[in-house]
Structure formats: C-alpha cells, structure tokens
Amino acid sequence: MSAMTDLAIETAALRVEAPGMMTTLQDGGRHGQGHLGVPPSGALDALSLGLANALVGNAPDTGALEITLMGPRLVVEGDGCVVAIAGDAEVLLNDAPVDAFRTLALEVGDVLQVKRLLSGARAYLAVGGGFAAEPFLGSVSTLARAGIGGFAGRALLAGDRLPLAAADLGRERAGLVGEQHLPQREKRPIRVVLGPQAAFFARAKQARFFSAQWRISTLADRMGYRLTGPTLASAKGHNIVSDALMTGSVQIPGDGQPIIAMNDRGTTGGYPKIATVIRADLARLGQMKPGDTLCFEPVEAGHAEQLWRGRQQAFGDYLARLGG
Amino acid sequence: MTPDYTIVALADQGVLIECGERIDLEINRWIDCAANAVREAGIDGVTGIVPTYRSLAIEYDSVSITQATLIDRLEALLSTLTATRRRARRWRVPVAYGGEFGLDFDDFRQRHGLSREELIALHSAPDYRVYMIGFMPGFAYLGGLDTSLHTPRRDSPRTRTPAGSISVGGQQTAVTSVEAPSGWHLLGQTPLATFDARRDPPMLIEAGDSVRFVPIDEAEFARLASDCAWRPDWEWCE
C-alpha cells in the first residue's frame, strides 16, 4: 500500500537511459530578445515541432525534444503519458518497431527509443501536456552556449530525469495517426531574398552564388552551417560594422565561403550578408546536415510573404482536420 | 539629427533601417531613439527590435502585417522622430586586471610599451558608451577606447573565454557576459554578473548606457564574486 502511495505522488517523468547524439528541449523560440543579445533558439524545424505537438494535443510551439540523427532511449516513470514523434525516424517501443506520426500511449516502465533518422537531421518528440521546464524570457528552448533554458541549460545526459508538466494527459488521443509531412522530401532550391549587403558582391559573384551547388560542411550545428563551394570575394571587404542577424542570414566571411546563421546564432555579426533565407524554407534548411548539397534561388520579399501565409494557412487547416 | 538611411528587406523576416558603414556617436544615438520610438508605437505584427551600432532591424510576422505596410509605418514614424531618449544609466564595473583575470594583459601592455599602471589608467579612464548589446546574451560593446589601445584581434581566437571578461578587439572594448569563444584580447575580469538567467532582470547593461571601469585587486574580486551572486548589483549603478 505504501509503495503504491509513493508511486501515486511521484511526478510523471521520462528518465534518460541514453541521450542520443544531441537531444535538447526546444519550443517555438525565444523571440523578441535580440536587443539583449539573446538569439531565438527554438526548433530548427518548427513545422515538425508543430506536427509532433498537434498529435498529443499541445499548442504547436510547446517545448519538445529535438533529436539529432541518433535519438535517446527513455523510460517512463511515475505515471503514463502520451507521446508522438514527427520525423523520418526508426522508433522502438519496448524494442518493437512503432510508427512515427502516431500518438502512442505509454505506461510506467515502458522504454521508448528513437534509434536513428532515415532522412533529414532532426525529429521531434512531444509529450501530452509538455515537459515541466522553467521558461527563460518566455521560452524553454535550450541555448547550451549560454547555459539557459531546457533541462539544466544543456543537451540531455544519461541519468537525467525529465519531469512532465501534467500526468497522463491526452490519453484519448492514443492511436491518432497524423500526416507524414517531411520538409526534407521537398527537393527544390532554398529561396532567399537578396540583401542586406548584396551590393558588396559584383553581379558576377551574385550570379555565382545562385548558380553554384553548395555543400554543407562538417561545421554545421544549431549556431550555423558553413558551406563549401566557389569562393565569393567581396569587392568591399569582408568586415562590416556589426549588424543584426536573422535566422537564415547568409554571411560571407573572408574565405569567401558562406555561413548560414541558424537559431542559436549571435544576434549580430560583422560579415557582409549577401541574402536572407525566407521563412517558408527555414524548416527544410533545419533538416539539412553535413554532406547535404543545396542551391539558392532569389525571390522577392512579397512572394516570400505569400508563401509563408500559405504555409500557416495549410498548417491551420491540418490542425482542424486532426480535430484540435 | 536625422542621418541618411535606407530600409532594406531581411527576406520576409524583417526590415533593416541602415545608416551607413561607420561607428558614429550621433548615428548610434539616433538608432537608440528610433528603437524606442518603434517599441512605443507598438505596431501590430512587430516581433522584435534589434538596434546595432549603425542599423536597426525590425522583425515582423507577415501573417499580421505586410512588409510594404510596415515600411510605410516606419517611414512615417522616423520622419517625425524627436529626441526622446530613455534615461541612460551609468555603470561602474569593477575589474581585476592582469594575471589569471586577464591572460593577454602582459602581452598587450608590452605590445604598446606601457607599464601595468599606465595600461590600467588608460583603460579605466573613459566613460564608455554602450553602443550595442549583441552576439551573446548581455554582451556589451563599448565605444570610446583610447586610440593608443586600438589593437587588431588575435590571429587565432580562443575557443573559451570566461564570463565577465573585459577585452579589447580593434577599436572596441567589451564587457562579456557568458563564457564564449573570442578573438579579443583579455585584459581583466569583472566579478559583476552582468547576466544571470536566474535573476530579474537577467541583464544589467543596456544599449545607450555608459560604463566606467573601477580597478580592483584580487582580494576585492574574491569578496565581490561571492557577494554579487544573486543580487541585481544595483549599487554599481550611479
């Protein structure tokens, strides 16, 4: 009897048996804090974050585990929970294969493992009611570089216990099957709007930027992706007085090889920026990994806005179909 | 003073109000002023405002406002901008110079042919202006470094420098806030926690504030380091 009482008051949690390659808590991002030097962080593929959350009945931007290439092995403690994984992932529940994009009801003692990703670089594991983590400046996203957000401000380690915000929430959604939407399946150039320092590059260099095939180097993380390809020399040098960065700013440092700023970027930077990636293509960019190749295509800002509104509308329609 | 500015697209994520290519006190003041005006205008759909030395990025969500409308609103706002500035604060930042607190201090003073006392005096004399908070949470870029101390960045950046480092890079000096990679020269360290995620407010220094360095010794550093933890350190604000 006393053992059962202990169980009942123990908080629901996921215990980390193995952390995976790099698993962090990420939500929709810590927006609007750039003036404090604080980058947005948040899910590199916010679309997949939203898909995982939708399946467990959470708001799209709720914090979930961002899994990188090889995932964690987690044990359910304290109480049951529902989870869903969005991504092209090989998932095992008690060592038996289960589908991603499906709401799973887990019991105490169940072992859930995201073995590896079959395509793309990231998958998202959401839990009904979300994780219990202390928000910092309005977000639970982990920025490991500054030790803020997430669980202890860092990536998961074996032995961590990840408390859940609510016990066994959303069980009625168990078995729900979502659309298998994978941004990495869309094969087309990454669309950008030229600027803000495109004028640093002669027309021929700009043409080269768009005609080249770029490869993502091994120096690619949540802070930024370094690309390799033809050298883009700037006519006006490669140092500017520091200027604001966006996620998706394409900077050209002195070696002429682009660096795309990602979610954990500095808020400002001192290299000229030839172009900025449009919002609608950020999720697809977030699914890229070292060795992947990409091309850039120029679009106008107004067209980018239409594409983004279209994406948001489609996501809203999907939520409605899923029965929010 | 209204500087010449242009407004350029940061894709469909933001717009950049750009005021040229130099570090200039008048331009930086105008940026500060413009940032406050945009903040106070509370334009629906604006999600972030990032002032820098010479530019101001306005982030927006096109579901709520189009870029064309946003630019119209901004141009109207900037054309009637008056010099209503936020009351800037003046910070005294205690610094232990040299030794384990400033790994580059000795190389730096030898490079400039200065004694320990001369370097400390030159570095701690000015009232520095905080031109920008950027790069890292709470990282304060200061303008006003004595021209005799302007020094190109290190050839090879360090992968880790401690939180609270007081460093020099080019014509700037900085108060760093979190452990970070850096190619700047480390002259000293402050025990003042200018950034602490557990504190409200987490950041102390803001763009437009001023900073003066107060040299302290090792014993004072140790005392303040244990003392400053968890407190907002308002006593260092004049």
Side-chain angles (χ1 to χ4, degrees), chain A residues 9 15 79 212 240 288 290 317 320:
Chain A
I9 58 166
R15 183 165 49 79
D79 204 342
I240 61 169
M288 291 187 172
D317 293 348

Side-chain angles (χ1 to χ4, degrees), chain A residues 32 35-38 136 145 193 196-197 240-244 247 266-268 276-279 301 304-305 308-309, chain B residues 10-13 16 18 21 47 49 52-55 57 60-62 66-67 132-138 195 197 203:
Chain A
H35 62 291
L36 302 175
V38 178
F136 172 64
R145 221 152 35 80
V193 175
Q197 283 98 28
I240 61 169
V241 176
S242 290
D243 179 33
T247 298
T267 55
T268 58
T276 314
V277 177
I278 69 170
R279 269 188 211 271
E305 289 183 320
W308 177 243
R309 286 194 289 265
Chain B
L10 301 170
D12 57 336
Q13 302 193 52
L16 187 71
E18 221 182 357
E21 258 299 310
T47 57
I49 298 168
T52 71
Y53 281 103
R54 49 56 178 247
S55 67
Y60 74 101
D61 183 350
S62 67
T66 65
Q67 189 166 103
M132 174 171 100
I133 302 291
F135 178 52
M136 287 290 207
F195 168 74
M203 322 282 176

Side-chain angles (χ1 to χ4, degrees), chain A residues 177-262:
Chain A
V177 177
E179 284 171 26
Q180 299 230 354
H181 189 88
L182 298 169
Q184 61 266 33
R185 293 251 169 97
E186 193 187 337
K187 301 296 179 200
R188 56 150 69 233
I190 293 289
R191 289 161 293 188
V192 298
V193 175
L194 270 175
Q197 283 98 28
F200 276 55
F201 302 90
R203 239 168 230 295
K205 296 293 177 193
Q206 291 185 18
R208 198 108 193 251
F209 175 68
F210 290 112
S211 64
Q213 190 174 59
W214 299 96
R215 184 175 295 275
I216 297 180
S217 81
T218 53
L219 299 171
D221 58 18
R222 289 188 44 87
M223 194 173 179
Y225 297 172
R226 287 198 195 205
L227 308 183
T228 54
T231 302
L232 297 180
S234 157
K236 293 164 71 178
H238 291 273
N239 278 287
I240 61 169
V241 176
S242 290
D243 179 33
L245 289 178
M246 299 288 115
T247 298
S249 288
V250 185
Q251 312 165 85
I252 312 291
D255 64 5
Q257 301 288 284
I259 302 173
I260 309 180
M262 298 301 285

Side-chain angles (χ1 to χ4, degrees), chain B residues 26-229:
Chain B
E26 286 308 309
I27 288 175
N28 191 241
R29 281 189 175 146
W30 185 82
I31 295 288
D32 197 25
C33 197
N36 286 326
V38 176
R39 197 171 293 121
E40 277 164 25
I43 301 169
D44 197 36
V46 167
T47 57
I49 298 168
V50 189
T52 71
Y53 281 103
R54 49 56 178 247
S55 67
L56 179 63
I58 315 287
E59 297 167 283
Y60 74 101
D61 183 350
S62 67
V63 172
S64 303
I65 190 170
T66 65
Q67 189 166 103
T69 306
L70 175 61
I71 289 174
D72 285 348
R73 294 283 306 270
L74 291 174
E75 280 176 338
L77 204 60
L78 296 178
S79 68
T80 58
L81 198 61
T82 50
T84 51
R85 275 190 283 138
R86 181 183 64 82
R87 209 181 128 259
R89 287 173 299 184
R90 294 159 59 88
W91 295 95
R92 291 178 301 128
V93 174
V95 182
Y97 284 97
E100 60 177 298
F101 302 105
L103 292 179
D104 298 318
F105 184 91
D106 284 325
D107 283 348
F108 191 92
R109 68 174 185 78
Q110 280 160 19
R111 174 183 194 138
H112 293 287
L114 297 169
S115 70
R116 179 182 164 81
E117 290 68 29
E118 285 167 337
L119 173 52
I120 292 175
L122 279 170
H123 189 258
S124 60
D127 270 321
Y128 292 104
R129 175 180 171 81
V130 181
Y131 271 83
M132 174 171 100
I133 302 291
F135 178 52
M136 287 290 207
F139 186 111
Y141 289 84
L142 310 181
L145 182 66
D146 195 287
T147 49
S148 67
L149 299 183
H150 291 189
T151 314
R153 286 162 209 202
R154 286 163 51 85
D155 291 337
S156 161
R158 287 196 171 85
T159 52
R160 291 166 78 116
T161 60
S165 289
I166 306 299
S167 55
V168 167
Q171 49 182 311
Q172 304 163 70
T173 186
V175 183
T176 66
S177 47
V178 297
E179 190 181 281
S182 173
W184 292 30
H185 303 271
L186 308 179
L187 299 191
Q189 197 180 347
T190 180
L192 195 65
T194 58
F195 168 74
D196 186 337
R198 301 161 298 184
R199 184 183 59 203
D200 185 21
M203 322 282 176
L204 296 181
I205 302 172
E206 294 181 77
D209 286 356
S210 70
V211 164
R212 184 191 282 263
F213 294 119
V214 180
I216 56 170
D217 61 19
E218 200 173 327
E220 184 72 352
F221 185 96
R223 190 184 72 74
L224 290 173
S226 58
D227 227 39
C228 286

